[in-house]
mmCIF file of all heavy atoms in Angstrom:
data_model
loop_
_atom_site.group_PDB
_atom_site.id
_atom_site.type_symbol
_atom_site.label_atom_id
_atom_site.label_comp_id
_atom_site.label_asym_id
_atom_site.label_seq_id
_atom_site.Cartn_x
_atom_site.Cartn_y
_atom_site.Cartn_z
ATOM 1 N N ARG A 100 2.113 -2.673 15.108
ATOM 2 C CA ARG A 100 1.055 -2.059 14.300
ATOM 3 C C ARG A 100 -0.267 -2.735 14.664
ATOM 4 O O ARG A 100 -0.300 -3.943 14.829
ATOM 5 C CB ARG A 100 1.391 -2.261 12.828
ATOM 6 C CG ARG A 100 0.585 -1.438 11.868
ATOM 7 C CD ARG A 100 1.128 -1.656 10.431
ATOM 8 N NE ARG A 100 0.808 -0.521 9.629
ATOM 9 C CZ ARG A 100 1.614 0.499 9.355
ATOM 10 N NH1 ARG A 100 2.847 0.497 9.805
ATOM 11 N NH2 ARG A 100 1.214 1.500 8.610
ATOM 12 N N TRP A 101 -1.354 -1.958 14.781
ATOM 13 C CA TRP A 101 -2.655 -2.542 15.083
ATOM 14 C C TRP A 101 -3.769 -1.587 14.667
ATOM 15 O O TRP A 101 -3.534 -0.416 14.398
ATOM 16 C CB TRP A 101 -2.765 -2.933 16.557
ATOM 17 C CG TRP A 101 -2.809 -1.816 17.557
ATOM 18 C CD1 TRP A 101 -3.914 -1.287 18.149
ATOM 19 C CD2 TRP A 101 -1.695 -1.104 18.113
ATOM 20 N NE1 TRP A 101 -3.562 -0.295 19.032
ATOM 21 C CE2 TRP A 101 -2.213 -0.166 19.029
ATOM 22 C CE3 TRP A 101 -0.310 -1.167 17.925
ATOM 23 C CZ2 TRP A 101 -1.393 0.697 19.747
ATOM 24 C CZ3 TRP A 101 0.503 -0.305 18.641
ATOM 25 C CH2 TRP A 101 -0.036 0.611 19.537
ATOM 26 N N ILE A 102 -4.981 -2.114 14.642
ATOM 27 C CA ILE A 102 -6.168 -1.320 14.291
ATOM 28 C C ILE A 102 -7.113 -1.325 15.485
ATOM 29 O O ILE A 102 -7.336 -2.362 16.112
ATOM 30 C CB ILE A 102 -6.872 -1.875 13.038
ATOM 31 C CG1 ILE A 102 -5.963 -1.668 11.819
ATOM 32 C CG2 ILE A 102 -8.230 -1.199 12.832
ATOM 33 C CD1 ILE A 102 -6.521 -2.169 10.510
ATOM 34 N N THR A 103 -7.640 -0.146 15.805
ATOM 35 C CA THR A 103 -8.638 -0.020 16.865
ATOM 36 C C THR A 103 -9.856 0.697 16.307
ATOM 37 O O THR A 103 -9.815 1.275 15.219
ATOM 38 C CB THR A 103 -8.118 0.791 18.068
ATOM 39 O OG1 THR A 103 -7.815 2.116 17.645
ATOM 40 C CG2 THR A 103 -6.914 0.135 18.697
ATOM 41 N N GLU A 104 -10.929 0.662 17.085
ATOM 42 C CA GLU A 104 -12.155 1.394 16.748
ATOM 43 C C GLU A 104 -12.543 2.273 17.922
ATOM 44 O O GLU A 104 -12.555 1.818 19.062
ATOM 45 C CB GLU A 104 -13.305 0.425 16.468
ATOM 46 C CG GLU A 104 -13.193 -0.329 15.187
ATOM 47 C CD GLU A 104 -14.423 -1.170 14.903
ATOM 48 O OE1 GLU A 104 -15.296 -1.314 15.799
ATOM 49 O OE2 GLU A 104 -14.520 -1.691 13.786
ATOM 50 N N GLU A 105 -12.864 3.513 17.619
ATOM 51 C CA GLU A 105 -13.399 4.417 18.641
ATOM 52 C C GLU A 105 -14.902 4.510 18.407
ATOM 53 O O GLU A 105 -15.341 4.818 17.296
ATOM 54 C CB GLU A 105 -12.753 5.800 18.551
ATOM 55 C CG GLU A 105 -13.262 6.734 19.627
ATOM 56 C CD GLU A 105 -12.626 8.108 19.568
ATOM 57 O OE1 GLU A 105 -12.225 8.555 18.479
ATOM 58 O OE2 GLU A 105 -12.537 8.745 20.630
ATOM 59 N N HIS A 106 -15.662 4.268 19.466
ATOM 60 C CA HIS A 106 -17.118 4.229 19.325
ATOM 61 C C HIS A 106 -17.801 5.532 19.715
ATOM 62 O O HIS A 106 -18.996 5.681 19.511
ATOM 63 C CB HIS A 106 -17.682 3.051 20.125
ATOM 64 C CG HIS A 106 -17.217 1.734 19.572
ATOM 65 N ND1 HIS A 106 -17.866 1.093 18.550
ATOM 66 C CD2 HIS A 106 -16.146 0.970 19.875
ATOM 67 C CE1 HIS A 106 -17.225 -0.019 18.250
ATOM 68 N NE2 HIS A 106 -16.171 -0.121 19.031
ATOM 69 N N GLY A 107 -17.070 6.463 20.245
ATOM 70 C CA GLY A 107 -17.627 7.788 20.556
ATOM 71 C C GLY A 107 -18.850 7.704 21.437
ATOM 72 O O GLY A 107 -18.904 6.933 22.388
ATOM 73 N N ASP A 108 -19.875 8.471 21.076
ATOM 74 C CA ASP A 108 -21.092 8.523 21.887
ATOM 75 C C ASP A 108 -22.061 7.393 21.573
ATOM 76 O O ASP A 108 -23.120 7.294 22.173
ATOM 77 C CB ASP A 108 -21.783 9.874 21.710
ATOM 78 C CG ASP A 108 -22.147 10.163 20.257
ATOM 79 O OD1 ASP A 108 -22.114 9.241 19.412
ATOM 80 O OD2 ASP A 108 -22.465 11.329 19.961
ATOM 81 N N GLY A 109 -21.721 6.550 20.630
ATOM 82 C CA GLY A 109 -22.576 5.418 20.286
ATOM 83 C C GLY A 109 -23.643 5.727 19.259
ATOM 84 O O GLY A 109 -24.339 4.833 18.796
ATOM 85 N N ASP A 110 -23.801 7.002 18.875
ATOM 86 C CA ASP A 110 -24.813 7.394 17.904
ATOM 87 C C ASP A 110 -24.300 7.392 16.471
ATOM 88 O O ASP A 110 -25.068 7.592 15.542
ATOM 89 C CB ASP A 110 -25.371 8.786 18.229
ATOM 90 C CG ASP A 110 -26.194 8.797 19.506
ATOM 91 O OD1 ASP A 110 -26.681 7.721 19.912
ATOM 92 O OD2 ASP A 110 -26.343 9.874 20.102
ATOM 93 N N SER A 111 -22.997 7.196 16.294
ATOM 94 C CA SER A 111 -22.428 7.233 14.955
ATOM 95 C C SER A 111 -21.600 5.973 14.704
ATOM 96 O O SER A 111 -21.330 5.194 15.622
ATOM 97 C CB SER A 111 -21.563 8.488 14.782
ATOM 98 O OG SER A 111 -20.562 8.522 15.769
ATOM 99 N N GLU A 112 -21.206 5.810 13.470
ATOM 100 C CA GLU A 112 -20.384 4.667 13.100
ATOM 101 C C GLU A 112 -19.029 4.746 13.803
ATOM 102 O O GLU A 112 -18.494 5.836 13.983
ATOM 103 C CB GLU A 112 -20.157 4.640 11.583
ATOM 104 C CG GLU A 112 -21.409 4.321 10.776
ATOM 105 C CD GLU A 112 -21.896 2.903 11.007
ATOM 106 O OE1 GLU A 112 -21.050 1.972 10.993
ATOM 107 O OE2 GLU A 112 -23.102 2.725 11.227
ATOM 108 N N PRO A 113 -18.472 3.602 14.187
ATOM 109 C CA PRO A 113 -17.138 3.629 14.796
ATOM 110 C C PRO A 113 -16.103 4.202 13.832
ATOM 111 O O PRO A 113 -16.233 4.076 12.616
ATOM 112 C CB PRO A 113 -16.831 2.159 15.082
ATOM 113 C CG PRO A 113 -18.099 1.427 14.915
ATOM 114 C CD PRO A 113 -19.010 2.266 14.085
ATOM 115 N N ILE A 114 -15.084 4.825 14.396
ATOM 116 C CA ILE A 114 -13.969 5.361 13.610
ATOM 117 C C ILE A 114 -12.801 4.396 13.791
ATOM 118 O O ILE A 114 -12.418 4.075 14.922
ATOM 119 C CB ILE A 114 -13.577 6.764 14.093
ATOM 120 C CG1 ILE A 114 -14.762 7.710 13.984
ATOM 121 C CG2 ILE A 114 -12.376 7.292 13.316
ATOM 122 C CD1 ILE A 114 -14.553 9.042 14.687
ATOM 123 N N ARG A 115 -12.242 3.915 12.684
ATOM 124 C CA ARG A 115 -11.137 2.961 12.751
ATOM 125 C C ARG A 115 -9.799 3.679 12.581
ATOM 126 O O ARG A 115 -9.643 4.498 11.679
ATOM 127 C CB ARG A 115 -11.298 1.881 11.675
ATOM 128 C CG ARG A 115 -12.468 0.970 11.953
ATOM 129 C CD ARG A 115 -12.736 -0.099 10.904
ATOM 130 N NE ARG A 115 -11.941 -0.065 9.706
ATOM 131 C CZ ARG A 115 -11.042 -1.006 9.351
ATOM 132 N NH1 ARG A 115 -10.828 -2.042 10.125
ATOM 133 N NH2 ARG A 115 -10.386 -0.900 8.219
ATOM 134 N N PHE A 116 -8.875 3.350 13.475
ATOM 135 C CA PHE A 116 -7.532 3.917 13.449
ATOM 136 C C PHE A 116 -6.520 2.800 13.212
ATOM 137 O O PHE A 116 -6.601 1.747 13.838
ATOM 138 C CB PHE A 116 -7.178 4.586 14.778
ATOM 139 C CG PHE A 116 -8.126 5.670 15.208
ATOM 140 C CD1 PHE A 116 -8.872 5.547 16.358
ATOM 141 C CD2 PHE A 116 -8.256 6.825 14.463
ATOM 142 C CE1 PHE A 116 -9.735 6.546 16.765
ATOM 143 C CE2 PHE A 116 -9.118 7.840 14.854
ATOM 144 C CZ PHE A 116 -9.859 7.694 16.011
ATOM 145 N N GLU A 117 -5.554 3.048 12.331
ATOM 146 C CA GLU A 117 -4.424 2.149 12.161
ATOM 147 C C GLU A 117 -3.230 2.795 12.837
ATOM 148 O O GLU A 117 -2.743 3.841 12.410
ATOM 149 C CB GLU A 117 -4.130 1.895 10.688
ATOM 150 C CG GLU A 117 -3.007 0.912 10.489
ATOM 151 C CD GLU A 117 -2.754 0.562 9.033
ATOM 152 O OE1 GLU A 117 -3.517 1.013 8.154
ATOM 153 O OE2 GLU A 117 -1.766 -0.153 8.786
ATOM 154 N N LEU A 118 -2.761 2.183 13.916
ATOM 155 C CA LEU A 118 -1.707 2.748 14.754
ATOM 156 C C LEU A 118 -0.377 2.062 14.500
ATOM 157 O O LEU A 118 -0.334 0.862 14.222
ATOM 158 C CB LEU A 118 -2.069 2.581 16.227
ATOM 159 C CG LEU A 118 -3.323 3.343 16.652
ATOM 160 C CD1 LEU A 118 -4.441 2.393 16.947
ATOM 161 C CD2 LEU A 118 -3.019 4.221 17.826
ATOM 162 N N TYR A 119 0.688 2.847 14.623
ATOM 163 C CA TYR A 119 2.038 2.301 14.522
ATOM 164 C C TYR A 119 3.016 3.275 15.157
ATOM 165 O O TYR A 119 2.663 4.401 15.505
ATOM 166 C CB TYR A 119 2.424 1.982 13.074
ATOM 167 C CG TYR A 119 2.432 3.151 12.126
ATOM 168 C CD1 TYR A 119 3.600 3.836 11.850
ATOM 169 C CD2 TYR A 119 1.263 3.562 11.491
ATOM 170 C CE1 TYR A 119 3.625 4.911 10.967
ATOM 171 C CE2 TYR A 119 1.270 4.631 10.608
ATOM 172 C CZ TYR A 119 2.449 5.296 10.355
ATOM 173 O OH TYR A 119 2.446 6.358 9.484
ATOM 174 N N TRP A 120 4.271 2.827 15.305
ATOM 175 C CA TRP A 120 5.313 3.615 15.956
ATOM 176 C C TRP A 120 6.201 4.280 14.919
ATOM 177 O O TRP A 120 6.638 3.641 13.978
ATOM 178 C CB TRP A 120 6.141 2.729 16.881
ATOM 179 C CG TRP A 120 5.303 2.123 17.949
ATOM 180 C CD1 TRP A 120 4.699 0.894 17.932
ATOM 181 C CD2 TRP A 120 4.909 2.736 19.174
ATOM 182 N NE1 TRP A 120 3.972 0.709 19.079
ATOM 183 C CE2 TRP A 120 4.085 1.830 19.862
ATOM 184 C CE3 TRP A 120 5.192 3.971 19.761
ATOM 185 C CZ2 TRP A 120 3.539 2.106 21.112
ATOM 186 C CZ3 TRP A 120 4.643 4.250 21.003
ATOM 187 C CH2 TRP A 120 3.825 3.322 21.669
ATOM 188 N N LEU A 121 6.461 5.546 15.124
ATOM 189 C CA LEU A 121 7.271 6.368 14.232
ATOM 190 C C LEU A 121 8.497 6.850 15.008
ATOM 191 O O LEU A 121 8.360 7.289 16.156
ATOM 192 C CB LEU A 121 6.436 7.573 13.785
ATOM 193 C CG LEU A 121 7.035 8.542 12.783
ATOM 194 C CD1 LEU A 121 7.016 7.919 11.391
ATOM 195 C CD2 LEU A 121 6.223 9.838 12.776
ATOM 196 N N PRO A 122 9.694 6.793 14.423
ATOM 197 C CA PRO A 122 10.851 7.351 15.135
ATOM 198 C C PRO A 122 10.585 8.817 15.521
ATOM 199 O O PRO A 122 10.040 9.589 14.724
ATOM 200 C CB PRO A 122 11.985 7.245 14.117
ATOM 201 C CG PRO A 122 11.575 6.108 13.229
ATOM 202 C CD PRO A 122 10.068 6.208 13.140
ATOM 203 N N LEU A 123 10.952 9.178 16.746
ATOM 204 C CA LEU A 123 10.709 10.546 17.226
ATOM 205 C C LEU A 123 11.244 11.608 16.276
ATOM 206 O O LEU A 123 10.618 12.653 16.097
ATOM 207 C CB LEU A 123 11.333 10.743 18.606
ATOM 208 C CG LEU A 123 10.513 10.239 19.786
ATOM 209 C CD1 LEU A 123 11.345 10.269 21.050
ATOM 210 C CD2 LEU A 123 9.251 11.065 19.949
ATOM 211 N N ALA A 124 12.363 11.345 15.640
ATOM 212 C CA ALA A 124 12.973 12.321 14.730
ATOM 213 C C ALA A 124 12.100 12.619 13.518
ATOM 214 O O ALA A 124 12.323 13.607 12.819
ATOM 215 C CB ALA A 124 14.344 11.832 14.276
ATOM 216 N N GLN A 125 11.102 11.786 13.255
ATOM 217 C CA GLN A 125 10.205 12.009 12.121
ATOM 218 C C GLN A 125 8.861 12.617 12.552
ATOM 219 O O GLN A 125 7.961 12.791 11.735
ATOM 220 C CB GLN A 125 9.961 10.696 11.377
ATOM 221 C CG GLN A 125 11.211 10.138 10.741
ATOM 222 C CD GLN A 125 10.974 8.772 10.123
ATOM 223 O OE1 GLN A 125 9.846 8.327 9.967
ATOM 224 N NE2 GLN A 125 12.049 8.104 9.767
ATOM 225 N N GLY A 126 8.723 12.957 13.821
ATOM 226 C CA GLY A 126 7.460 13.470 14.344
ATOM 227 C C GLY A 126 7.004 14.785 13.745
ATOM 228 O O GLY A 126 5.837 15.145 13.834
ATOM 229 N N HIS A 127 7.896 15.502 13.092
ATOM 230 C CA HIS A 127 7.538 16.790 12.491
ATOM 231 C C HIS A 127 6.489 16.640 11.384
ATOM 232 O O HIS A 127 5.888 17.625 10.981
ATOM 233 C CB HIS A 127 8.784 17.474 11.931
ATOM 234 C CG HIS A 127 9.400 16.729 10.795
ATOM 235 N ND1 HIS A 127 10.203 15.626 10.989
ATOM 236 C CD2 HIS A 127 9.306 16.908 9.451
ATOM 237 C CE1 HIS A 127 10.576 15.158 9.800
ATOM 238 N NE2 HIS A 127 10.061 15.923 8.860
ATOM 239 N N VAL A 128 6.242 15.428 10.907
ATOM 240 C CA VAL A 128 5.298 15.219 9.804
ATOM 241 C C VAL A 128 3.841 15.120 10.264
ATOM 242 O O VAL A 128 2.948 14.959 9.433
ATOM 243 C CB VAL A 128 5.663 13.957 8.978
ATOM 244 C CG1 VAL A 128 7.052 14.091 8.387
ATOM 245 C CG2 VAL A 128 5.544 12.688 9.806
ATOM 246 N N LEU A 129 3.571 15.258 11.543
ATOM 247 C CA LEU A 129 2.194 15.165 12.040
ATOM 248 C C LEU A 129 1.304 16.248 11.435
ATOM 249 O O LEU A 129 1.746 17.369 11.197
ATOM 250 C CB LEU A 129 2.173 15.275 13.566
ATOM 251 C CG LEU A 129 2.802 14.111 14.315
ATOM 252 C CD1 LEU A 129 2.958 14.455 15.782
ATOM 253 C CD2 LEU A 129 1.971 12.853 14.136
ATOM 254 N N ALA A 130 0.054 15.909 11.232
ATOM 255 C CA ALA A 130 -0.917 16.819 10.617
ATOM 256 C C ALA A 130 -1.408 17.887 11.604
ATOM 257 O O ALA A 130 -1.322 17.723 12.810
ATOM 258 C CB ALA A 130 -2.117 16.014 10.102
ATOM 259 N N ALA A 131 -1.938 18.943 11.033
ATOM 260 C CA ALA A 131 -2.683 19.976 11.759
ATOM 261 C C ALA A 131 -1.962 20.534 12.982
ATOM 262 O O ALA A 131 -2.573 20.763 14.018
ATOM 263 C CB ALA A 131 -4.063 19.441 12.147
ATOM 264 N N GLY A 132 -0.679 20.729 12.877
ATOM 265 C CA GLY A 132 0.067 21.342 13.963
ATOM 266 C C GLY A 132 0.238 20.488 15.203
ATOM 267 O O GLY A 132 0.636 20.998 16.250
ATOM 268 N N GLN A 133 -0.030 19.194 15.108
ATOM 269 C CA GLN A 133 0.090 18.352 16.301
ATOM 270 C C GLN A 133 1.536 18.205 16.774
ATOM 271 O O GLN A 133 1.771 17.835 17.918
ATOM 272 C CB GLN A 133 -0.531 16.976 16.060
ATOM 273 C CG GLN A 133 -2.033 16.994 16.069
ATOM 274 C CD GLN A 133 -2.619 15.604 16.075
ATOM 275 O OE1 GLN A 133 -1.964 14.627 15.718
ATOM 276 N NE2 GLN A 133 -3.868 15.503 16.478
#
Side-chain angles (χ1 to χ4, degrees):
R100 193 175 205 98
W101 69 98
I102 293 180
T103 62
E104 288 186 350
E105 182 179 28
H106 295 274
D108 58 14
D110 292 338
S111 57
E112 291 293 315
I114 301 169
R115 291 178 354 114
F116 303 116
E117 183 176 355
L118 296 110
Y119 61 95
W120 299 94
L121 183 75
L123 278 170
Q125 295 175 12
H127 65 281
V128 300
L129 292 169
Q133 285 190 340

